[in-house]
Amino acid sequence: MTDNHTFLEVKDLKTRFHTPEGTVFAVNGVSFSLKEGETLAVVGESGCGKSVTMMSLLRLISIPPGKIECGEVIYRDKDLLKLTESEMEHIRGKEIAMIFQDPMTSLNPVLTVGRQLTETLRTHTPMNPDQCRERAITLLDWVGIPDAKNRLNDHPHQFSGGMRQRVMIAMALACTPSLLIADEPTTALDVTIQAQIIELVKRLKQDVGMAMIWITHDLGVVAGMADRVIVMYAGFIVEEALVDDLYDNPLHPYTMALLQALPRADRRREKNLKSIQGSPPNLLAEPVGCPFAPRCEFVKERCVRENPILTEITGGHKTACWVDVKTGGLR
């Protein structure tokens, strides 16, 4: 982290989707902060609200069916949820950029990579077309695209999956944003390319000096790159801690279960990984008690009746759980 200045603060964010089947309670009162230069990992199973939370920050939720019901997103003393669409367009891409999950569906298949790279530069900078082209070549070279100058006129289908993801990273970094949000950018790639992309993003983050939010369902990915971790379940934050604290001392049963399902070199003698019993919750019903209670090995009567709030236990380590997982008794 470059310093201790908090430049993003999310308070009680709630996002709903009103569908013919009913209301989907996608994000349920999420609150967190981010410091300049910090890397925050957001982890959890698919459907837990990670991506919707970050899309809500940038107001990229489709309305309808989606709706940001309440909350504040304070970025450099401005509430992003209260800005006009025109004001938001000046922030998206320039100050806060996002890398999406699937580059094949995020890139326009009929436009050249050069055209898509320079669009952000034309929108947010005073560069002329020649300067935009030179900057685009520099960006492609920066992210490791060979023969960058001649590849500007290629279309997305002419690039491999890993190369398309590199192009997406180049587009996100075009205006050197203060915050980069990466939404599972390595999910569709093979393991070797995943490692290359993760190392690339880590290096570029250091070069640019930006903060980063890395969304993933894989706790193994964040061990070597995050400063702090948020664990989400059913649209709630259930645990928040510094990355080393989370691995060494998980305080929520869901976090413990995720870690036990993770292959680790120091557990090579164990024959089988542990799986989380049951199924993810139905988000069409707002939980009365703890949403993890039906799958929890520590469940108590109070867990079924009351949903615990996120509470700091020690030194910035927070959890939303009634149970002390070390003793198995109520806190």
Side-chain angles (χ1 to χ4, degrees):
M1 289 177 275
T2 56
D3 63 37
N4 291 321
H5 178 62
T6 297
F7 76 115
L8 176 72
E9 189 164 3
V10 179
K11 301 177 182 177
D12 196 31
L13 181 67
K14 295 182 181 178
T15 301
R16 308 283 185 258
F17 290 92
H18 301 284
T19 71
E21 291 77 24
T23 298
V24 178
F25 294 86
V27 179
N28 301 305
V30 165
S31 300
F32 66 90
S33 61
L34 187 68
K35 297 174 183 176
E36 290 186 354
E38 183 180 26
T39 298
L40 175 69
V42 183
V43 302
E45 291 172 296
S46 296
C48 72
K50 307 183 300 293
S51 298
V52 176
T53 298
M54 300 310 153
M55 298 277 276
S56 298
L57 302 192
L58 290 172
R59 286 178 33 199
L60 293 173
I61 299 296
S62 297
I63 304 173
K67 184 180 179 183
I68 300 171
E69 297 286 350
C70 68
E72 294 178 292
V73 179
I74 310 298
Y75 171 73
R76 301 197 188 281
D77 301 321
K78 294 178 289 190
D79 187 352
L80 300 186
L81 301 185
K82 293 182 179 177
L83 298 184
T84 65
E85 182 58 29
S86 176
E87 289 171 325
M88 279 301 300
E89 287 175 359
H90 287 291
I91 289 176
R92 295 190 201 108
K94 183 180 181 182
E95 297 187 46
I96 304 176
M98 190 164 183
I99 306 170
F100 296 95
Q101 238 178 88
D102 185 358
M104 200 63 219
T105 56
S106 300
L107 293 168
N108 191 320
V110 300
L111 298 180
T112 65
V113 161
R115 167 70 186 278
Q116 296 181 69
L117 262 173
T118 56
E119 184 175 0
T120 302
L121 297 169
R122 292 196 306 270
T123 302
H124 294 298
T125 73
M127 292 181 182
N128 62 40
D130 288 339
Q131 290 172 324
C132 287
R133 180 178 171 81
E134 287 304 312
R135 172 66 172 164
I137 293 170
T138 301
L139 286 165
L140 287 183
D141 185 60
W142 201 20
V143 298
I145 301 289
D147 195 21
K149 184 176 181 179
N150 293 323
R151 303 230 59 182
L152 283 181
N153 295 322
D154 288 346
H155 289 78
H157 73 271
Q158 294 173 276
F159 291 78
S160 68
M163 290 296 182
R164 284 195 294 267
Q165 197 58 277
R166 289 172 187 267
V167 171
M168 290 291 296
I169 294 169
M171 290 174 63
L173 298 180
C175 297
T176 56
S178 301
L179 170 60
L180 176 67
I181 301 172
D183 186 4
E184 303 204 47
T186 62
T187 296
L189 307 175
D190 65 55
V191 176
T192 305
I193 304 300
Q194 279 187 28
Q196 291 175 6
I197 295 296
I198 290 168
E199 287 304 314
L200 170 66
V201 173
K202 286 167 65 177
R203 175 175 62 79
L204 296 177
K205 176 187 178 296
Q206 293 298 322
D207 291 347
V208 176
M210 61 189 173
M212 183 165 67
I213 298 175
W214 187 281
I215 304 169
T216 182
H217 61 270
D218 185 356
L219 269 168
V221 168
V222 304
M225 66 183 305
D227 300 305
R228 195 157 46 91
V229 184
I230 283 173
V231 181
M232 291 191 67
Y233 187 81
F236 295 90
I237 294 177
V238 296
E239 187 161 1
E240 178 183 342
L242 295 174
V243 64
D244 289 340
D245 290 344
L246 191 88
Y247 279 81
D248 293 341
N249 185 32
L251 298 178
H252 195 280
Y254 179 58
T255 309
M256 290 180 64
L258 287 177
L259 289 170
Q260 288 169 352
L262 185 68
R264 288 173 52 170
D266 58 353
R267 292 209 305 252
R268 285 176 297 179
R269 294 181 181 178
E270 295 182 18
K271 293 182 179 179
N272 298 313
L273 295 173
K274 294 183 179 179
S275 62
I276 304 175
Q277 300 301 312
S279 303
N282 179 9
L283 297 181
L284 287 170
E286 189 170 19
V288 176
C290 173
F292 190 62
R295 308 172 73 184
C296 182
E297 61 180 293
F298 299 97
V299 64
K300 308 291 183 186
E301 186 180 343
R302 187 179 186 184
C303 305
V304 179
R305 296 195 321 265
E306 266 182 273
N307 193 355
I309 61 171
L310 192 67
T311 304
E312 184 170 347
I313 304 300
T314 176
H317 197 151
K318 304 175 183 177
T319 186
C321 186
W322 297 121
V323 177
D324 183 339
V325 292
K326 291 185 175 63
T327 65
L330 291 170
R331 289 190 185 279

